[in-house]
Amino acid sequence: MRIEVPALELKISDLQFAQYAEDFFNAGKACPVNKIFNPVPYYLYCHCIELALKAICLRFGDTTKIVKNEIRHDLEDAVAHAEQKLRVTLLSESERMEIKKANDLYKQKGFEYFSGRAGKSLLKGRTDFPSLPALILISSKLLSELRHQRILN
């Protein structure tokens, strides 16, 4: 006899996404600044950005299914969805360029495993690598937006 159990679907709220975003931001601030390159803060700030944008999307009408299946881990898609929901421009053109640079690595897990293009970009000193100070600024800006929208205290 075989018993099948339906899949469990967890519905994480906008408030949880916002809190997780702040937690990842704080973890990024706790990373030591070394002379040796460390991919960890890049990952933490990118994940903060992803979660903050998804919190906005959830608050203003997207379902967890849309967030999971349409936005996935694509930072550029998340920005587009959040701006569409808020009907405002969240990021400047230069911030969008940094998101694009980060997204090319982040959505392929380049910061988590530091493989592929992420490793090559660092070794060659390429300019297509995102600016960590810019990612920190974008993260902070989005957390401020979450507070403004009363999604985060």
Side-chain angles (χ1 to χ4, degrees), residues 16-31:
Q16 289 167 306
F17 268 78
Q19 185 59 60
Y20 297 158
E22 186 174 52
D23 291 346
F24 274 91
F25 181 81
N26 290 333
K29 290 192 315 188
C31 282

Side-chain angles (χ1 to χ4, degrees), residues 70-106:
E70 291 183 24
I71 299 173
R72 299 168 315 278
H73 302 292
D74 190 309
L75 299 177
E76 291 174 289
D77 283 353
V79 169
H81 270 261
E83 288 182 337
Q84 182 182 30
K85 292 293 174 189
L86 290 175
R87 296 182 180 162
V88 299
T89 300
L90 290 170
L91 302 178
S92 70
E93 204 53 45
S94 63
E95 290 167 333
R96 289 174 188 283
M97 291 304 299
E98 293 302 322
I99 288 291
K100 179 174 179 19
K101 291 177 190 179
N103 195 44
D104 289 343
L105 300 166
Y106 178 74

